[in-house]
Amino acid sequence: MGNGRYSAQLEYEPWVRFNNAQRAHYNMVESAPGVIGSLLTSGLAAPKLAAGLGFGYAVGRLLYARGYTSSKGADGRVVGAISSALCSLSLYGVAMVYGVRAAFF
């Protein structure tokens, strides 16, 4: 992610913030399909739980992006990364549990 055009036009500090914001966005785009799929499937069986976990995931991603673009850089994303990872893993688990229940029971 060199951002060649922007690296020539920006000073170093704004370029680093731009690059970190772009990385946070790409990370969100990469993880969104799995989370949205599990949110939809788990929402069929446990809508309130899925809504709560989806909201927690969204807040975690917001904290991730805000922390990553702060002056702390990559160290600022830890709280958001942990909270969004816990919510997404919980969504995957709920979707799997209710999927197995629907298939075999």
Side-chain angles (χ1 to χ4, degrees), residues 27-95:
N27 189 275
M28 169 67 181
V29 169
E30 289 173 356
S31 65
V35 171
I36 291 171
S38 63
L39 184 63
L40 290 173
T41 55
S42 62
L44 293 172
K48 290 182 182 179
L49 178 61
L53 290 172
F55 180 75
Y57 176 78
V59 170
R61 294 308 307 178
L62 180 64
L63 291 173
Y64 181 91
R66 299 276 295 191
Y68 206 0
T69 57
S70 71
S71 61
K72 294 180 183 178
D75 293 335
R77 65 185 173 164
V78 174
V79 172
I82 291 172
S83 62
S84 64
L86 288 175
C87 289
S88 65
L89 289 174
S90 299
L91 276 170
Y92 298 151
V94 170

